[in-house]
């Protein structure tokens, strides 16, 4: 009996500890779940100019001896002084001409220097990166001026219409503020990717980047014959004639297929109108065939404005502007740390697979 009593007490203690742990975890998870979306991550900023200076300094230290480095430093100091002097003179001239504040101190000259904000968008089939980009754009719009510029390094083979429509609307926020927007395409901007890119004031494409695919596609398997073969009935109940047109498991009538094609055509018309709105110089009927072009041919068809890589564009920008890479970093939630990330991992893997399959339709050669 004594043994049973001690064993019972042990079980009660163990149960108490387990319940306490569960309650603590549930409480912390509940508090974590109540956090506002903008507390789930943070903005990071990297100045590209400083990176280039570091690269140059490392190479100089390895290529030149001490005497040569001293001469380089003297020449650089002289060049900087002349540049500041020229900027102050320009500021004074602008003041007299009424073009700006034009104060003649160096601090003010630095304040009016152009700034370029750089964003990266690597789009999957759901345009998931838009969740991060919306935070980045919100942050930039708190500081950006009309004399600044936003550059988006965009890579995407497209995907869901509504998802890329929202991503395009995020870029439109920049245009609505009167801030110049440039999109750089190094590899691919097709379908939904081009839906985003065409909003820009300027599109820069690498010579062999894939551009275009102004079209709409939908495909799905149908298992109705397989189910029928195994005596499996599939029943679907709807209210409204077109609540559901085609289905994966039931028989698709000719009328349902026609309605589905009609919806695709309507979406294609909306896509073409969207592109025409932002790039009126395009011959939309020639390029809206769903075909894609390499950058050099896209330039001839006026799908892009100039050839070059994003590296070329940003390095050149560093000569006259302060260039900042802005990114939104996601902060892991407690749920992910406790293992709920497995579900997210599976979802991401499925999304990645569909994205790769979608990208195959935009591969040339």
């Amino acid at each position: 009996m004594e043994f049973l009593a001690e064993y019972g007490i042990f079980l009660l203690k163990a149960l108490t500890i387990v319940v306490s742990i569960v309650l603590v975890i549930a409480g912390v998870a509940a508090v974590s779940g109540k956090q506002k979306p903008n507390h789930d991550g943070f903005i990071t900023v990297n100045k590209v100019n400083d990176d280039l200076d570091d690269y140059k300094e490392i190479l100089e230290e390895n290529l030149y001896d001490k005497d040569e480095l001293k001469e380089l430093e003297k020449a650089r100091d002289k060049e900087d002084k002349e540049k500041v002097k020229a900027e102050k003179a320009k500021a004074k001239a602008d003041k007299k001409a009424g073009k700006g504040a034009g104060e003649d101190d160096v601090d003010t000259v630095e304040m009016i220097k152009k700034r370029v904000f750089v964003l990266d968008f690597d789009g999957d089939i759901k345009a998931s990166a838009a969740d991060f980009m919306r935070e980045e754009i919100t942050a930039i719009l708190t500081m950006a001026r009309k004399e600044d510029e936003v550059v988006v390094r965009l890579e995407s083979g497209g995907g869901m219409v509504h998802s890329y429509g929202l991503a395009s609307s995020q870029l439109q926020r920049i245009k609505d503020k009167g801030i110049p927007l440039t999109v750089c395409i190094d590899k691919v901007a097709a379908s939904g990717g081009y839906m985003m890119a065409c909003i820009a004031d300027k599109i820069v494409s690498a010579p062999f980047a894939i551009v275009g695919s102004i079209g709409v596609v939908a495909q799905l398997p149908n298992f109705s014959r397989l189910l029928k073969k195994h005596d499996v009935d599939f029943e679907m109940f709807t209210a409204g004639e077109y609540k559901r047109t085609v289905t994966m498991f039931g028989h698709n009538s000719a009328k349902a297929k026609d309605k589905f094609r009609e919806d695709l055509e309507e979406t294609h018309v909306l896509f073409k109108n969207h592109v025409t709105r932002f790039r009126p110089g395009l011959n939309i009927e020639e390029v809206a065939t769903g075909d894609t072009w390499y950058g050099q041919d896209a330039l001839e068809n006026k799908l892009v404005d100039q050839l070059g890589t994003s590296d070329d564009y940003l390095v050149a920008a560093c000569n006259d502007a302060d260039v900042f890479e802005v990114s939104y970093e996601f902060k892991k939630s407690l749920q992910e740390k406790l293992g709920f990330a497995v579900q997210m991992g599976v979802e991401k893997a499925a999304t990645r697979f569909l994205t790769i399959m979608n990208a195959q339709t935009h591969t040339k050669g």
Side-chain angles (χ1 to χ4, degrees):
M1 293 296 292
E2 184 179 351
F3 168 75
L4 292 175
E6 290 180 356
Y7 184 67
I9 293 173
F10 170 76
L11 287 178
L12 287 173
K13 288 181 178 179
L15 182 60
T16 302
I17 293 172
V18 171
V19 171
S20 299
I21 292 174
V22 171
L23 289 175
V24 169
I25 291 176
V28 175
V31 172
S32 176
K34 292 179 180 179
Q35 290 182 340
K36 295 181 180 179
N38 60 355
H39 290 168
D40 289 339
F42 53 92
I43 292 289
T44 64
V45 180
N46 176 58
K47 190 172 182 180
V48 179
N49 308 66
D50 292 342
D51 290 340
L52 293 179
D53 289 341
D54 290 342
Y55 298 156
K56 187 175 182 181
E57 184 178 338
I58 291 171
L59 286 172
E60 288 176 348
E61 289 175 354
N62 285 275
L63 294 174
Y64 301 119
D65 58 33
K66 292 182 178 180
D67 292 334
E68 289 174 322
L69 287 172
K70 286 182 180 179
E71 291 299 320
L72 278 173
E73 190 64 29
K74 288 181 181 179
R76 193 168 293 145
D77 288 341
K78 182 179 179 181
E79 183 181 343
D80 290 341
K81 289 178 181 178
E82 290 177 350
K83 186 175 181 180
V84 170
K85 185 177 179 181
E87 288 175 340
K88 290 170 67 176
K90 183 177 182 301
K92 286 182 179 180
D94 288 344
K95 182 180 180 180
K96 290 181 180 179
K99 293 182 179 179
E103 297 293 337
D104 59 355
D105 58 279
V106 177
D107 291 337
T108 303
V109 171
E110 288 296 322
M111 285 177 61
I112 63 174
K113 188 174 184 181
K114 178 181 177 179
R115 296 174 298 194
V116 176
F117 300 97
V118 185
L119 306 179
D120 286 302
F121 183 92
D122 188 358
D124 58 24
I125 198 167
K126 298 195 302 181
S128 303
D131 293 336
F132 296 92
M133 187 176 68
R134 70 198 307 174
E135 302 290 348
E136 295 161 357
I137 291 175
T138 297
I140 288 171
L141 293 182
T142 64
M143 293 292 294
R145 307 159 303 193
K146 291 185 177 181
E147 58 266 29
D148 295 331
E149 180 183 6
V150 176
V151 176
V152 179
R153 291 183 291 208
L154 190 152
E155 304 296 337
S156 176
M160 298 177 180
V161 176
H162 59 280
S163 298
Y164 276 90
L166 177 59
S168 300
S169 297
Q170 295 300 328
L171 295 183
Q172 183 63 45
R173 294 170 60 198
I174 300 169
K175 295 284 293 292
D176 290 342
K177 294 293 183 179
I179 301 166
L181 173 63
T182 299
V183 165
C184 292
I185 307 166
D186 288 329
K187 295 179 181 178
V188 58
S191 193
Y194 191 74
M195 178 188 291
M196 293 176 63
C198 72
I199 290 178
D201 299 291
K202 179 168 54 181
I203 303 177
V204 181
S205 169
F208 287 94
I210 294 175
V211 181
S213 189
I214 304 173
V216 184
V217 62
Q219 52 188 346
L220 73 163
N222 185 271
F223 301 100
S224 61
R225 292 182 182 177
L226 179 65
L227 295 177
K228 186 176 181 179
K229 181 179 179 181
H230 291 84
D231 297 323
V232 178
D233 293 329
F234 173 79
E235 296 180 346
M236 179 173 61
F237 304 94
T238 62
E241 184 179 3
Y242 298 120
K243 177 61 180 178
R244 179 73 65 217
T245 51
V246 296
T247 173
M248 292 174 58
F249 302 105
H251 171 70
N252 292 318
S253 66
K255 186 176 181 181
K257 292 178 182 178
D258 289 342
K259 173 58 178 169
F260 193 72
R261 293 190 189 97
E262 182 182 325
D263 291 341
L264 290 181
E265 288 294 337
E266 183 179 349
T267 303
H268 191 206
V269 170
L270 291 173
F271 193 177
K272 291 193 291 184
N273 291 342
H274 172 84
V275 174
T276 301
R277 174 187 171 193
F278 294 101
R279 298 190 70 83
L282 271 175
N283 186 329
I284 193 64
E285 296 306 324
E286 284 189 3
V287 298
T289 60
D291 198 2
T292 57
W293 291 265
Y294 287 123
Q296 47 200 348
D297 296 324
L299 179 63
E300 294 179 6
N301 283 290
K302 299 182 180 180
L303 289 161
V304 303
D305 300 297
Q306 69 183 67
L307 296 181
T309 66
S310 61
D311 305 289
D312 294 329
Y313 191 83
L314 295 177
V315 169
C318 286
N319 294 327
D320 304 306
D322 289 329
V323 181
F324 300 96
E325 292 176 326
V326 180
S327 62
Y328 183 77
E329 303 288 338
F330 181 71
K331 189 193 308 179
K332 288 185 178 179
S333 67
L334 178 62
Q335 289 91 332
E336 290 175 308
K337 294 178 181 177
L338 292 174
F340 285 95
V342 174
Q343 180 180 352
M344 294 181 63
V346 173
E347 182 180 348
K348 286 182 179 179
T351 298
R352 180 63 179 165
F353 173 75
L354 292 173
T355 301
I356 292 173
M357 295 298 294
N358 182 58
Q360 298 301 313
T361 62
H362 306 307
T363 302
K364 284 182 171 285

